[in-house]
Amino acid sequence: MKHFLIKYFALITIILSIVSSCKRNEPDFIIGVSQCSDDEWRSRMNEEIMREALFYPNLKVEIRTVEDNNQEQIKDIEEFIANDVNLIVVSPNEAKAITPVVEKAYDLGIPVVLVDRKITSDKYTAFVGGDNYLMGKQIGTYIANRLNGKGKIVELTGLKGSTPALERHNGMNEVLKEYPSIEIIATTDAAWLKNKAETKFDSILSIHKDIDMVIAQNDPMAYGAYQAAMKAGREKEMLFVGVDALAGEKLGVELVADSILDATFIYPTGGDKVIQVAMNILKKRDYKRENILSSALVNAGNARIMQMQTSHINTLDEKIEVLNAKLDTYLMRYSSQKMFLYACIVILFLLAVLLFFVVRAYWTKIRLNAELSKQKQQLEEQRDQLIDLSKKLEEATKAKLAFFTNVSHDFRTPLTLIADPVKKLMNSENIKDNERFLLNIINKNVTVLLRLINQIMDFRKFENGKLEMHLSEFNIKDCMKEWAEAFRTLAYRKHITFKFTADDADYNVIADSEMMERITYNLLSNAFKFTPENGNISICLSKNAENGISMKFSDTGVGMPAEHVKHIFESFYQIDVHHAGSGIGLALVKAFVEMHHGKIDVKSKEGNGTIFTIDIPAKQDGKIYHDIDRKAILNNLKEGAVVMAGQESLSAENVTGKDRNASNEGEHEAVVLVIDDNQDVRDYVKSLLSENYTVLEAANGSEGLKLAIANVPDIIICDVMMPVMDGMECCKRLKAEPRTSHIPVMMLTAYSMDEQKIKGYECGADSYISKPFSSELLLARLHNLIENHNRLKDFFGDKVTTSTTPLADTDKGFVEKLRKLIEENMGNTDFSVEDMGEKIGFSRVQLYRKAKALTGYTPNELLRIARLNKANAIIKTSTEKSISEIAYEVGFSSPSYFTKCYKEFFGENPTDVLKKR
């Protein structure tokens, strides 16, 4: 309790610290700023925005800048919207292009503040910037006054799609209308850029020889024009005027002070005003929608004063930044000290709690010691009782083991009595092949039961310490070759590459040969059980470092997850329910290896196979027996091995029963697909059905699905529990596949739980039979399912009408597609079944079987019936067409063949029907 509370309070402290820290750092508002360009004027505005934001705690400002690119600016604003910012500040690159995305943000309820430039609609929250139209009028007035109402000027405008460029131009022209002697000899778009202005003005200089003044809508363009004139040696001939009046090297105020520009106009950046308006909006305070910033003329008379003022302002800005940095440091130090104080308080509290529990524990210890002294006497009395109970329990355990052994012996006796008469019956010449087949199944499974009982008895002997070794001297290499040959038939059946390799060495050993046999048999049985078709299994025999024997059993099977590998040698442990077994085979293998003073190791990875490695000494100490009949043991092992491994075969057998030609459309015998991972079950069902049905076989759901799609059987019998793909999944996929969705599925299961049957019916199963099943019941269910399914085959069977029998959605889609295809190509005499199948996505055989199963007619018959019905309708409604014309219209290549088919289908000559009308 003490440790729990300490950990609890510590955890609470950490959580509270994290929460308080997160809450402190989380911003209250997020403002996204989208700038259209990255010139010096906008850089000053950005600095003002960030500096003003320092006065608003927990305000986050994210500034994004594009290089005069509409698409990039739209993308930035879209991202601000997606990130749920609280307010967006936009300086539109071009009004028309940026208007839709600004309107989108506004319609979504996000406040939008326009800076410097406007859009083409009124869907914005506020505007901050100069009055560009008024700025244009001020420029026009200055031109008129400076040139005394007469002269030639050149205008360099900003980006033509931006509102400042348009408004400044219009304002200037409004004033110059009053001065007809002032002529604008050239106007060009320099896109607010110095280099572009220099290039454009250089071209203008080559055309116009007489220029009195150059008006640029910002200072960089004015300076670019000046440099172009200076290169041409004409900078003294004209005056240069700009807009912005920024302070700094090669900027507007300095250019005026250095007499490069005649004048410039202050166009304030207003970054601080932007944040002030934005915060008024976010905090629901009063604000002005139109925030117009003042402007003024800067010329040689006041440029120096402005330089001094700007220098002083810059100094103050630097001091503010230093103070802000120090403030951040102090706040961080304060936060750390506060957290340290909280930690000290929590530690003191925990120490107090700890002291309380220590005192309590001390008094509890005194009390418990008193109680323990009283209980000690009772325990001594109980000890004597437990000793007596232990002896009685040991005797009871021995009695149970003896009973288990006796029962195992009792099982062996009747199994032996069954096995012997069966073998005698199998040797009789008077039994039929079918009866001999059934006796062979009985014989193999009796052998399996005997072997399992022997394994259980040996394992019990090992647990009781009574299992003895019978040592003999033999060549283990030769023996293992013989033991491995018992699995050669199974390897052929499953198409598995099975190899035995050994280097040149002396493999004479002293060991228990029967135990070595059992080890080999059990490991190979597992390998074949869990290795699918076309896999690899190998045995590698070699001498190890201690001059002992090393055996390596490798396979490319399904492998095991890491959590199962460490348990596989435990008694009665099974990885899954898909593979039957007693769960003691590997435990017995480990016991035999340990009795030989060896060790066994396993390496496995799910999906990458398994490797068992056994190392044992070559010579075992003990009495050596020389009279062991190894040949008899080998024969017994071969018989049992084939039975056990054969039961778990995963291969799909070839088609049995009567020959089945998938391409023969005249074959009407029902085809049954049996899907079961147990070979004997498949053989038994095959023996019941092969007389009246054509039987296909598959060992798991995956193989069964492939066979069903390829062959389209009439009915499918499927086991529920199988490896690779179980019956539920197989049934679900069969019903979802258009080529097999119509096929009835009968499920076989060893479970009787209603939940599993309900799940099977939800997957589309048509019937259930529980194991063990009666052959009569299986045949009756099979017959009824096929008969019921045949009732659907009147789908086109009425010659004129279609069936009202309900179909599955998948089959409805197939029939509708088939009908539409026939209607669209009815008049095409070259339209074939292959063309029909290609358009639907089926092969010729698949289309034939699907159509035949649903309608009772082949695709050719369906096409012919549709043409005849169409022709009959034309004959009964039209008197203007001849029989030949009607035949060609509905797709018959020969009128005589049409007449023959019509008479066979409707029972009368088409000419007679036409005459009656």
Side-chain angles (χ1 to χ4, degrees), residues 74-93:
I74 292 171
K75 180 180 177 183
D76 286 346
I77 298 172
E78 290 281 7
E79 289 184 8
F80 284 146
I81 295 172
N83 293 336
D84 294 327
V85 298
N86 301 102
L87 184 142
I88 300 177
V89 176
V90 182
S91 178
N93 186 51

Side-chain angles (χ1 to χ4, degrees), residues 199-470:
T199 303
K200 291 288 184 75
F201 190 65
D202 185 63
S203 300
I204 293 172
L205 287 173
S206 63
I207 298 173
H208 299 282
K209 302 301 181 183
D210 187 11
I211 301 173
D212 296 305
M213 182 180 288
V214 178
I215 302 298
Q217 290 186 352
N218 71 358
D219 292 337
M221 291 191 295
Y223 185 51
Y226 176 83
Q227 288 186 318
M230 186 172 62
K231 290 178 182 178
R234 298 176 58 185
E235 71 276 11
K236 302 296 184 181
E237 299 175 7
M238 59 198 77
L239 301 175
F240 297 89
V241 178
V243 177
D244 282 347
L246 293 179
E249 185 179 357
K250 300 300 181 182
L251 296 179
V253 174
E254 183 178 293
L255 293 175
V256 173
D258 294 342
S259 300
I260 294 175
L261 299 185
D262 183 65
T264 183
F265 289 84
I266 296 175
Y267 188 64
T269 51
D272 51 351
K273 186 66 175 180
V274 170
I275 294 298
Q276 292 168 10
V277 171
M279 292 308 297
N280 287 337
I281 295 171
L282 292 175
K283 292 188 175 184
K284 310 298 182 183
R285 295 197 292 254
D286 293 337
Y287 65 93
K288 290 175 61 177
R289 189 167 188 265
E290 300 294 329
N291 299 271
I292 306 301
L293 304 178
S294 301
S295 178
L297 174 68
V298 178
N299 55 20
N302 60 6
R304 295 297 179 187
I305 296 173
M306 285 199 63
Q307 278 184 315
M308 293 170 61
Q309 290 177 337
T310 303
S311 175
H312 181 63
I313 291 171
N314 289 338
T315 303
L316 293 177
D317 287 342
E318 291 174 0
K319 290 181 179 180
I320 289 173
E321 290 179 1
V322 172
L323 290 174
N324 180 62
K326 289 184 177 181
L327 180 61
D328 287 341
T329 304
Y330 295 148
L331 288 174
M332 184 66 69
R333 187 178 302 170
Y334 167 74
S335 177
S336 301
Q337 290 174 349
K338 184 170 67 172
M339 291 304 300
F340 179 72
L341 177 62
Y342 288 160
C344 289
I345 293 172
V346 171
I347 291 172
L348 289 174
F349 175 75
L350 293 177
L351 287 174
V353 173
L354 178 61
L355 180 61
F356 168 76
F357 281 104
V358 167
V359 173
R360 183 180 176 182
Y362 174 74
W363 290 109
T364 303
K365 180 181 177 182
I366 294 174
R367 180 174 55 82
L368 289 176
N369 285 336
E371 293 178 358
L372 288 173
S373 62
K374 295 178 182 179
Q375 294 176 359
K376 182 177 180 181
Q377 187 177 0
Q378 298 176 357
L379 291 173
E380 289 176 352
E381 295 174 357
Q382 292 175 358
R383 180 190 61 187
D384 296 334
Q385 295 176 0
L386 288 173
I387 291 173
D388 293 337
L389 289 174
S390 178
K391 290 180 179 179
K392 292 178 180 179
L393 181 61
E394 184 178 355
E395 292 173 359
T397 302
K398 290 180 179 179
K400 289 180 181 179
L401 292 173
F403 172 76
F404 187 86
T405 305
N406 292 334
V407 169
S408 297
H409 280 289
D410 290 342
F411 283 154
R412 294 184 67 188
T413 301
L415 285 174
T416 304
L417 294 175
I418 294 171
D420 190 55
V422 168
K423 287 184 179 178
K424 289 182 179 179
L425 286 173
M426 290 177 63
N427 294 328
S428 175
E429 298 179 355
N430 297 324
I431 63 173
K432 298 179 181 179
D433 291 341
N434 187 49
E435 294 171 343
R436 189 182 303 279
F437 172 78
L438 296 175
L439 289 171
N440 185 50
I441 292 177
I442 296 171
N443 181 57
K444 289 195 291 184
N445 284 280
V446 166
T447 305
V448 172
L449 286 174
L450 285 171
R451 181 170 295 280
L452 289 174
I453 289 173
N454 287 337
Q455 283 197 158
I456 293 172
M457 293 180 66
D458 286 345
F459 186 72
R460 289 302 180 185
K461 288 180 182 179
F462 173 76
E463 284 189 329
N464 297 332
K466 295 180 179 180
L467 186 61
E468 297 180 355
M469 294 175 58
H470 297 274

Side-chain angles (χ1 to χ4, degrees), residues 806-859:
L807 294 175
D809 292 340
T810 308
D811 294 332
K812 286 180 182 177
F814 169 82
V815 171
E816 289 303 319
K817 188 182 291 186
L818 187 61
R819 282 177 175 168
K820 184 177 180 182
L821 200 59
I822 289 174
E823 290 173 1
E824 291 175 350
N825 296 275
M826 189 179 297
N828 183 4
T829 58
D830 297 326
F831 188 65
S832 64
V833 176
E834 285 78 11
D835 297 330
M836 195 182 301
E838 181 179 353
K839 292 181 179 295
I840 292 182
F842 285 16
S843 69
R844 184 174 181 273
V845 173
Q846 290 169 341
L847 178 62
Y848 166 80
R849 294 195 177 281
K850 183 77 174 179
K852 187 75 173 176
L854 284 176
T855 67
Y857 293 95
T858 67

